[in-house]
Amino acid sequence: MWTQRLMWIAWPAFLMAGVLEMLIFAFVDPSDLHWFGEPIGLSRQGVYTIAFFLFWGVTMASSAITTLLSFSPFEVNRCPVPNGERPEDCRKHPSHA
């Protein structure tokens, strides 16, 4: 179940990172970029790589928040421990087996 949700997060984020990469660098030349007034000391491929992973991370965070918000109250509040091994605070709701 968690691997499926991880793919719900990672795959769309990967695709959108690729789209963002194409859109941004269609208009921006990586050799013209500056950081605190100094030119970036990376090759174009280095800037492309760092930007892609940055875009992927941000879009993964967005997808993760969306996935988190899609959880039902049962999924959020259920106790994942089997009945016989549950701590006292999980015994309050026996219907959440």
Side-chain angles (χ1 to χ4, degrees), residues 4 7-8 12 14 17 25 31-32 47-48 60 75 77-78 83 95-96:
Q4 182 181 24
M7 288 310 297
W8 290 347
F14 179 84
F25 291 113
S31 61
D32 292 337
V47 173
Y48 292 145
M60 277 184 72
E75 290 175 301
N77 295 318
R78 75 182 174 111
N83 273 337
S95 63
H96 294 172

Side-chain angles (χ1 to χ4, degrees), residues 1-91:
M1 182 72 164
W2 285 105
T3 55
Q4 182 181 24
R5 287 206 173 129
L6 180 63
M7 288 310 297
W8 290 347
I9 294 167
W11 181 242
F14 179 84
L15 294 175
M16 287 311 301
V19 169
L20 280 171
E21 183 91 6
M22 289 185 288
L23 287 174
I24 297 292
F25 291 113
F27 300 105
V28 176
D29 184 7
S31 61
D32 292 337
L33 294 176
H34 289 75
W35 186 260
F36 294 111
E38 298 293 321
I40 295 178
L42 295 171
S43 67
R44 287 183 177 189
Q45 289 80 11
V47 173
Y48 292 145
T49 302
I50 290 171
F52 176 80
F53 284 109
L54 190 76
F55 296 153
W56 195 11
V58 169
T59 53
M60 277 184 72
S62 172
S63 294
I65 291 169
T66 302
T67 302
L68 178 67
L69 292 173
S70 73
F71 285 175
S72 71
F74 173 75
E75 290 175 301
V76 172
N77 295 318
R78 75 182 174 111
C79 184
V81 181
N83 273 337
E85 303 170 14
R86 290 184 179 182
E88 281 302 315
D89 60 344
C90 281
R91 296 181 196 272

